[in-house]
């Protein structure tokens, strides 16, 4: 056990110059745990395997717990890469290149905006030409999201009457929109 002490190993490109000193300085005694024989529980690793920019072998001794954490991290990273490959998830929205912004916040062109405005105006004009009951029932069902049963209970009528009223109203709207 590390007895509450945390050890970090920072390796940068400038470490290559200090490789001899690094290999000697890291295994100094920093309160590392000892085994039953009085020696430390150390594992020897090569930094060249962990960092691609190191071109020569740099061997260091690490505590077993730190080496296990590094191994656990490598296993998790490899499992993530395998899941990415299997599920063909090659693209991430978290790349900070604008993909996520474009997906979440669609910007419409002025032409699309104008077409939507005209379509909405035509839709509202067709709704206003309906009888009061059909208008109220279509508005409640499609705009407010109420079910036909809930509309029937609110108006205290049979559900079939609401369903037929909505169907007739939609047919009348379709005929009106075809004429436009």
């Amino acid at each position: 056990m590390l007895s509450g002490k945390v050890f970090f190993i920072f390796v940068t490109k400038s470490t290559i110059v200090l490789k001899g000193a690094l290999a000697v300085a890291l295994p100094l005694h920093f309160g590392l745990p000892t085994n039953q024989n009085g020696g430390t529980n150390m594992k020897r690793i090569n930094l060249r395997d962990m960092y691609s920019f190191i071109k020569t072998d740099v061997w260091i001794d690490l505590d077993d717990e730190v080496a296990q954490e590094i191994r656990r991290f490598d296993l998790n990273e490899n499992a993530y890469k395998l899941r990415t490959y299997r599920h063909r998830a090659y693209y991430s929205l978290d790349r900070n290149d604008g993909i996520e912004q474009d997906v979440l916040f669609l910007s419409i062109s002025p032409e699309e905006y104008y077409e939507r405005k005209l379509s909405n105006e035509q839709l509202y004009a067709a709704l206003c030409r309906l009888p009061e009951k059909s208008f109220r029932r279509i508005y409640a069902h499609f705009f407010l999201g109420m079910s036909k049963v809930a509309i029937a209970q609110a108006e205290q009528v049979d559900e079939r009457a609401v369903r037929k009223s909505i169907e007739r109203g939609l047919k009348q709207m379709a005929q009106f929109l075809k004429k436009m």
Side-chain angles (χ1 to χ4, degrees):
M1 176 144 189
L2 290 177
S3 66
K5 296 183 182 180
V6 179
F7 298 99
F8 293 99
I9 299 173
F10 295 102
V11 178
T12 62
K13 291 187 178 186
S14 63
T15 313
I16 297 171
V17 177
L18 301 173
K19 67 181 177 184
L22 179 69
V24 173
L26 280 178
L28 290 176
H29 298 285
F30 291 106
L32 294 175
T34 59
N35 59 16
Q36 295 150 351
N37 300 332
T40 58
N41 296 326
M42 303 295 276
K43 181 166 178 148
R44 193 164 176 85
I45 65 166
N46 189 356
L47 291 180
R48 183 176 163 202
D49 297 337
M50 296 173 61
Y51 301 100
S52 61
F53 56 84
I54 296 178
K55 302 299 179 197
T56 59
D57 289 337
V58 179
W59 292 94
I60 62 169
D61 292 328
L62 289 179
D63 181 52
D64 280 343
E65 291 181 21
V66 175
Q68 286 175 354
E69 285 300 313
I70 291 172
R71 173 133 171 87
R72 188 178 57 82
F73 176 79
D74 287 340
L75 290 174
N76 287 340
E77 183 71 17
N78 290 337
Y80 173 76
K81 287 179 183 177
L82 185 60
R83 280 194 310 272
T84 302
Y85 174 75
R86 283 184 179 160
H87 298 292
R88 296 185 179 103
Y90 303 119
Y91 302 101
S92 171
L93 297 179
D94 299 333
R95 293 182 47 182
N96 295 329
D97 59 356
I99 293 175
E100 184 175 17
Q101 179 73 16
D102 291 342
V103 168
L104 293 178
F105 305 106
L106 293 175
S107 58
I108 59 173
S109 68
E111 294 86 16
E112 290 174 320
Y113 180 76
Y114 182 69
E115 287 177 6
R116 286 184 184 182
K117 184 177 177 183
L118 283 179
S119 298
N120 286 341
E121 287 177 2
Q122 292 173 348
L123 181 64
Y124 290 130
L127 271 171
C128 289
R129 299 193 96 204
L130 292 175
E132 178 65 28
K133 281 185 183 179
S134 294
F135 171 79
R136 188 177 58 241
R137 291 172 178 171
I138 288 175
Y139 185 80
H141 183 64
F142 291 104
F143 290 88
L144 300 179
M146 293 177 66
S147 67
K148 294 173 185 171
V149 174
I151 296 169
Q153 289 174 349
E155 294 182 1
Q156 296 178 350
V157 294
D158 189 33
E159 187 264 336
R160 287 178 288 169
V162 172
R163 189 171 3 103
K164 288 182 181 180
S165 175
I166 289 175
E167 289 172 5
R168 278 194 308 270
L170 291 176
K171 286 180 184 176
Q172 290 175 354
M173 285 179 62
Q175 289 174 353
F176 177 74
L177 290 174
K178 284 181 184 177
K179 291 179 184 178
M180 291 184 95

